[in-house]
Amino acid sequence: MMTSAAPVLLALLGATGVGFGLGQGASPALSTCERIAWAGAVGTLALAMTEVSMLGLGVRPHAAPFLVVAALLVLAGVLLARGRAKPTPASCRARNGRSSLLGIMAVAAPICLFTLEAARSPMWYTDHLAIWGLKAKLITSTASLPRRIFADPSTPWSHPEYPLLVPLTLASLASIAGEWHGRALALVYPYWQTMTVLLVYGYLSRTMSRGIATIGGILVGVSAWLYCPANVGTADIPLAFSFALLSTSVLDSLATESVAPTLRLGIASLYAVATKPEGLLFVLLLSAVVAFHRPTLPRRRASGVAMLLAPAAAHSIAMVVLRGYIRGRDTDWGLLSVPRFQELARRIAAVATRVSAHELPAASVSLACIACLLLLTRRSRADVLIAPLVCQVLAYVGVCAFSAFDPAWQVASAVPRISQCLLPPMIVVLLARAGPLLNPDAKECTGVI
Amino acid sequence: MRHRVRRLLVALSIAVLGLNVASRLCSRSYWVALTQRQDLSFWFDPQYGAFLDGVARLTPPSETILLVIPPGSEMHLFQAAYQLAPRRIVTQCEYPAVRYVAIYLGVPLTCPPNGVPIPGGLLITRR
């Protein structure tokens, strides 16, 4: 295990370093934790892009070419950053307080536990075997992007229409390690968890206080239904990271005049759409938020929407060029035709029954807490995220009525699992509201210049 | 006073939310499982791994293999496609095109002349 884990860990560390070098322009004046998280996002994107470029050029991916590309990317990042003005310190950092050792340990503990869990077994969950792991293993073992992953009648269940960031990341790590080792590759999932925790912690410590950030870091880290063995090997954990990237960058871009948050919007948008189709939906919803955000100047709104939509459009076009147009087999949009309206009505009723009888009672405690927090606290800047978060969950439920399978089964198997990915942005919203009440010194500020 | 009550309720809501999202960590089975290193890949059928190892050992990576498994067992199919990749795993529909037929029933089978017994089943090479 250790001999295989070491190259994977070194590759992730190297990718973060490359991300630091490349992402300097996008993360001035952020807290250190946020800069690490953004470096992780840029680094893993760079890993996946390097893998696909090598496959396209016919180079067999292995450690040496990755090292060369990493060195070139770091050099490019350093050259680009030369001569750029140093960031002004964030306005409210001085009164944010210091992190206590106990706080840091409390935030780190769930990450350590999940790392132990993830490395306990090779990745085994159905979605990993049938979708993400199968594609990654095919890419690794053939050293190509085989046509089969997009069009093989014998594997219709592998979702050929899904984006490829997760398979390419796993394949690139396997290429660097020189073998497919399920336990070692699983370590990328605690890495994604760490980046998500660091991002939420960093954002809240910059805009609220260290104490609130510690609470946020703990709440994200202990999300035991998101960071659980069943999600190791799937795209839900990186999707949660992409949602956190999108949410914090949208809040920053709406609060400041700076160009950097707009750049981060582009990175986050690409990360989300390249991870899972749900990422594209969240990008579209956030684009609407930015487009209709009245207090923001029209010019800045336009650049924000453009930075959200341009990577999404470019990624969609690239995927269509790569694999052609593929219709997902899980949904039956033919239900929208007039002769099938009655059937659609029956399915909507089945979905509503399932949600009210099972899903709502199961989530009742969490929902009650969220409702209490919203009722007891005052408005904050982060409230702009509430509408897209609610719409996203409603869309998950609504799509189940169009499922090609039993709609009640679809609700049970998908909605709770994919809704968990929205927890990091939800925690940002709740703590941005609760912060000033819990810690009167933690008046909300942008913290970005 | 009202401010204090509100503050207390907010803190309580956050604490309950935290305990609720972390509820899995509170179970004893979680901590027991955490200390055990085990391979969960074949939780649905512990013998199936040896069968797939046998198929992988006896077939070239570029081949297409017809897999015969107990009906309705998706996990057997998914694991075969994943573990045996890049071999292509098909079911009945492409029977004439394949060179290898891997039959898994979980019990020893009578082997035909062109077959090789492997744990839990057999592998037939078609000419």
Side-chain angles (χ1 to χ4, degrees):
Chain A
M1 163 73 185
M2 280 314 290
T3 49
S4 303
V8 170
L9 289 173
L10 282 174
L12 290 171
L13 206 63
T16 314
V18 170
F20 242 110
L22 278 178
Q24 286 180 59
S27 60
L30 291 186
S31 63
T32 308
C33 292
E34 281 176 294
R35 293 183 73 181
I36 296 171
W38 282 98
V42 174
T44 40
L45 273 176
L47 261 184
M49 283 179 177
T50 307
E51 171 84 10
V52 82
S53 306
M54 283 189 208
L55 298 176
L57 292 169
V59 179
R60 193 173 180 91
H62 60 100
F66 272 101
L67 271 176
V68 174
V69 173
L72 289 173
L73 289 176
V74 169
L75 190 68
V78 170
L79 289 175
L80 281 172
R82 269 176 68 184
R84 198 176 283 146
K86 285 198 171 172
T88 316
S91 56
C92 60
R93 258 184 219 164
R95 57 181 167 74
N96 277 355
R98 292 172 63 113
S99 304
S100 69
L101 183 64
L102 195 68
I104 293 170
M105 282 167 66
V107 174
I111 295 172
C112 297
L113 289 175
F114 181 57
T115 306
L116 284 175
E117 263 199 306
R120 226 181 92 216
S121 165
M123 297 172 278
W124 56 271
Y125 190 62
T126 316
D127 279 12
H128 174 74
L129 303 177
I131 306 169
W132 312 104
L134 177 65
K135 289 176 187 176
K137 216 171 171 188
L138 282 172
I139 293 169
T140 308
S141 53
T142 60
S144 67
L145 267 182
R147 188 84 202 120
R148 274 171 63 189
I149 61 175
F150 304 124
D152 186 351
S154 68
T155 54
W157 30 262
S158 71
H159 283 281
E161 77 281 9
Y162 276 10
L164 291 174
L165 180 64
V166 172
L168 284 171
T169 305
L170 290 172
S172 61
L173 293 173
S175 304
I176 292 169
E179 62 170 336
W180 184 273
H181 191 289
R183 277 196 174 96
L185 292 174
L187 292 173
V188 71
Y189 287 86
Y191 172 83
W192 272 315
Q193 181 200 25
T194 308
M195 294 301 146
T196 314
V197 170
L198 285 175
L199 186 66
V200 171
Y201 178 91
Y203 177 80
L204 290 172
S205 73
R206 172 165 57 86
T207 57
M208 305 296 296
S209 72
R210 289 275 161 85
I212 299 297
T214 305
I215 296 172
I218 294 170
L219 283 178
V220 172
V222 299
S223 304
W225 300 109
L226 176 60
Y227 301 114
C228 68
N231 283 341
V232 175
T234 72
D236 295 330
I237 290 171
L239 186 69
F241 178 43
S242 75
F243 286 167
L245 291 169
L246 273 169
S247 306
T248 54
S249 55
V250 162
L251 293 177
D252 282 343
S253 75
L254 293 178
T256 66
E257 296 278 345
S258 165
V259 179
T262 318
L263 280 176
R264 293 201 293 274
L265 277 181
I267 297 167
S269 170
L270 181 60
Y271 213 94
V273 297
T275 302
K276 231 182 157 193
E278 292 93 305
L280 178 60
L281 175 63
F282 201 52
V283 166
L284 295 176
L285 290 169
L286 290 177
S287 304
V289 167
V290 175
F292 295 106
H293 192 255
R294 278 288 177 82
T296 310
L297 293 171
R299 183 178 49 82
R300 274 180 40 226
R301 277 189 269 164
S303 62
V305 171
M307 280 307 272
L308 277 168
L309 294 184
H315 177 266
S316 302
I317 292 167
M319 287 303 282
V320 170
V321 168
L322 198 63
R323 56 154 161 71
Y325 175 73
I326 301 175
R327 185 181 290 182
R329 69 167 201 144
D330 282 5
T331 43
D332 178 7
W333 297 112
L335 285 159
L336 285 170
S337 60
V338 178
R340 296 181 70 189
F341 270 7
Q342 272 195 339
E343 187 187 348
L344 180 60
R346 274 198 307 275
R347 288 171 149 262
I348 291 171
V351 167
T353 309
R354 171 76 209 187
V355 170
S356 57
H358 293 90
E359 268 48 66
L360 280 179
S364 57
V365 177
S366 292
L367 291 176
C369 291
I370 291 170
C372 275
L373 285 166
L374 292 176
L375 285 171
L376 292 166
T377 52
R378 294 213 174 90
R379 286 183 60 78
S380 87
R381 273 191 315 114
D383 284 3
V384 293
L385 294 175
I386 295 175
L389 288 170
V390 172
C391 289
Q392 184 93 0
V393 175
L394 290 178
Y396 292 163
V397 176
V399 166
C400 292
F402 295 90
S403 170
F405 310 105
D406 174 23
W409 171 83
Q410 192 73 45
V411 171
S413 65
V415 174
R417 184 171 52 83
I418 54 177
S419 299
Q420 293 274 342
C421 303
L422 296 166
L423 205 65
M426 194 68 222
I427 285 167
V428 168
V429 171
L430 295 176
L431 291 179
R433 290 175 67 105
L437 194 68
L438 293 175
N439 180 2
D441 288 340
K443 294 281 180 336
E444 194 179 15
C445 73
T446 65
V448 180
I449 307 295
Chain B
M1 183 64 187
R2 268 180 64 190
H3 184 77
R4 268 194 199 161
V5 172
R6 231 167 54 143
R7 206 172 147 181
L8 189 72
L9 285 173
V10 165
L12 199 67
S13 300
I14 290 173
V16 174
L17 183 65
L19 284 174
N20 196 44
V21 294
S23 56
R24 197 172 64 87
L25 307 185
C26 303
S27 71
R28 190 170 173 273
S29 58
Y30 168 81
W31 294 98
V32 171
L34 198 64
T35 54
Q36 293 169 348
R37 191 183 139 97
Q38 62 181 129
D39 188 343
L40 298 171
S41 307
F42 298 96
W43 58 269
F44 57 95
D45 183 351
Q47 298 176 10
Y48 193 51
F51 169 77
L52 292 182
D53 283 345
V55 178
R57 210 175 44 247
L58 297 168
T59 55
S62 55
E63 280 297 337
T64 297
I65 299 162
L66 172 67
L67 184 70
V68 182
I69 46 175
S73 172
E74 277 192 326
M75 282 308 292
H76 285 85
L77 179 59
F78 295 161
Q79 264 295 0
Y82 175 75
Q83 298 287 348
L84 298 175
R87 296 166 188 82
R88 206 165 152 255
I89 305 301
V90 297
T91 43
Q92 258 63 340
C93 52
E94 290 179 61
Y95 181 72
V98 300
R99 185 151 172 252
Y100 293 98
V101 181
I103 304 172
Y104 178 73
L105 290 175
V107 290
L109 297 169
T110 312
C111 206
N114 55 345
V116 182
I118 48 178
L122 57 94
L123 182 76
I124 299 170
T125 308
R126 300 174 73 222
R127 294 173 212 289

